[in-house]
Amino acid sequence: MSAAPDPLTPDDPLTTKEGWRRFVDYQPEPAAPAGAAQRLSLTPGQRAAQDEARRDYHAMLPLVNTPTIRQVLTTGRLLVQLNRHQISARRGLILSGASGTGKTTALTQLGRTHERAVRKRHPGRKHHLPVLYCTVPPAATARMLAVEFARFFGLEFSPRTNLPDIVNAVCATAAHTGVELVLVDEIHNLNLATRSGAEVSDQLKYFAERLPATFVYAGIEVEAQGLFAGVRGRQIAGRFTLIASTPFAYGTAEQRAAWRSLVSTLEGMLRLREHRPGTLVSLDEYLYQRTGGMIGSLSQLIRGAAILAIEDDTEQITRELLDFIPVDYAAERANAATKARPATATRKQVPA
């Protein structure tokens, strides 16, 4: 059996071309659990290796194609086509919503999908980088942003290098490597009410004018952060389409069906020996209460439970096991009105 591609490491963040390439290339392979008879025939080392592979798989479950992701993919790829022959005033996309609603996932999936499509069309281009991904640093300045763009390409500059030289080097490298899509995450760190924030906004606009690429931003509730306020904000509002990333709702029959479909898709990805299909779907209301409809919280809950089920050798996810999986503070607040989890619950200890 061929080895699965190595997952991302802290030394290769997505904000570098090496990390981004690894992300685009990485395709987790389902590690089917051995049956009881086959497992008995394995050595302890082989069983440990198989369990480790399945824990790694569940830690990085494949992406679920949510409605937000589908909208981002459709709109983003359409804008790339519309902008391809534009000289200026290219149209862009902003993804805005609360934390945990899958904004970064949708943003990076757009980039991954686009890059894989470009690779398929042009298989012989070894040094092609159709996607650039970066984040806006906290309290960013225009120079800091330019350095983030440069860091993606592996360009290094001394502290004395002036901003125009950095920008020119970035633009030349982007043109040489065929950048078509620029993804800028954490855009909520940009505050147009401050001088440095306004300068960062101007720097982004300058990059957008210099680079023949489509710009896509993602951030936490950017409307409330003043991104569309003032002269600069009105210019952004006039050029960018806004997609809201929201939690799943659970009020209507249609909304509950969509939530159950999401849970069913995640459950179908599990690779546990004793798990009964449909168990998680039958817990859909409980899962919604625990997560507040946040896909990030749901993913954490199910992935964590799967890993514990392998460690405990129970090989199935139950309501009792899910009670032990921590979720983020926002999800806990959403669940505050529901019955508190039993404090006396116990679970099987992990063998030493």
Side-chain angles (χ1 to χ4, degrees):
M1 183 179 67
S2 61
D6 292 333
L8 290 174
T9 67
D11 293 333
D12 285 329
L14 281 100
T15 50
T16 65
K17 64 180 186 298
E18 294 82 10
W20 179 259
R21 279 172 171 161
R22 288 166 69 91
F23 168 73
V24 173
D25 292 337
Y26 184 68
Q27 187 68 44
E29 297 180 5
Q38 182 185 357
R39 189 169 176 81
L40 287 174
S41 68
L42 300 176
T43 66
Q46 289 172 328
R47 287 196 294 270
Q50 185 187 80
D51 289 347
E52 180 67 19
R54 287 192 297 130
R55 283 195 294 269
D56 287 345
Y57 166 75
H58 287 103
M60 299 183 67
L61 276 182
L63 182 71
V64 177
N65 203 9
T66 65
T68 297
I69 289 176
R70 289 195 293 271
Q71 186 179 7
V72 169
L73 291 179
T74 300
T75 306
R77 299 193 71 187
L78 174 61
L79 289 173
V80 170
Q81 293 290 327
L82 292 174
N83 289 334
R84 188 154 286 162
H85 301 294
Q86 286 290 109
I87 302 301
S88 63
R90 298 177 188 87
R91 301 294 169 170
L93 175 64
I94 297 175
L95 183 58
S96 173
S99 177
T101 54
K103 298 180 301 301
T104 295
T105 299
L107 184 71
T108 54
Q109 183 62 15
L110 169 62
R112 185 176 188 270
T113 301
H114 178 71
E115 179 149 339
R116 290 173 76 92
V118 171
R119 290 183 186 183
K120 188 175 181 179
R121 290 199 309 267
H122 308 288
R125 295 185 180 179
K126 294 183 179 180
H127 302 292
H128 203 198
L129 289 173
V131 178
L132 185 159
Y133 175 83
C134 74
T135 61
V136 177
T141 64
R143 192 180 194 283
M144 289 169 63
L145 180 71
V147 168
E148 287 297 312
F149 274 61
R151 183 176 291 118
F152 180 86
F153 294 118
L155 302 175
E156 296 183 0
F157 301 93
S158 73
R160 293 188 299 274
T161 306
N162 61 43
L163 178 60
D165 286 343
I166 298 175
V167 171
N168 288 335
V170 167
C171 292
T173 305
H176 179 71
T177 56
V179 171
E180 297 178 345
L181 186 62
V182 177
L183 309 178
V184 183
D185 209 349
E186 309 290 337
I187 196 68
H188 53 266
N189 286 333
L190 192 161
N191 184 357
L192 293 183
T194 66
R195 177 179 176 180
S196 61
E199 290 173 351
V200 172
S201 176
D202 290 344
Q203 185 61 64
L204 277 172
K205 181 177 180 295
Y206 185 70
F207 273 132
E209 294 292 341
R210 287 280 304 270
L211 301 179
T214 298
F215 279 63
V216 181
Y217 304 152
I220 298 174
E221 298 172 347
V222 298
E223 308 95 313
Q225 303 296 328
L227 188 65
F228 301 127
V231 175
R232 291 180 175 86
R234 288 194 296 272
Q235 189 174 48
I236 293 172
R239 291 189 180 182
F240 282 80
T241 298
L242 180 69
I243 293 179
S245 179
T246 60
F248 275 74
Y250 199 75
T252 67
E254 183 179 359
Q255 290 167 344
R256 291 192 292 272
W259 176 253
R260 284 193 293 271
S261 177
L262 172 64
V263 173
S264 177
T265 300
L266 284 168
E267 186 171 30
M269 296 176 182
L270 297 176
R271 296 297 181 266
L272 300 172
R273 292 196 305 275
E274 305 297 332
H275 186 81
R276 290 184 302 160
T279 300
L280 294 184
V281 176
S282 69
L283 295 172
D284 64 300
E285 184 175 359
Y286 162 81
L287 292 171
Y288 188 84
Q289 291 172 348
R290 285 291 313 277
T291 64
M294 301 284 193
I295 186 171
S297 304
L298 178 67
S299 174
Q300 175 184 337
L301 191 59
I302 293 178
R303 289 185 295 118
I307 291 171
L308 278 187
I310 295 172
E311 290 184 347
D312 287 352
D313 202 32
T314 57
E315 293 288 341
Q316 61 180 322
I317 298 178
T318 63
R319 164 72 179 267
E320 291 72 26
L321 181 60
L322 287 165
D323 280 337
F324 284 97
I325 309 302
V327 291
D328 54 272
Y329 177 67
E332 290 287 4
R333 287 187 62 189
N335 189 35
T338 64
K339 184 178 178 181
R341 287 174 285 164
T344 58
T346 60
R347 70 177 179 88
K348 183 178 178 181
Q349 295 298 310
V350 180

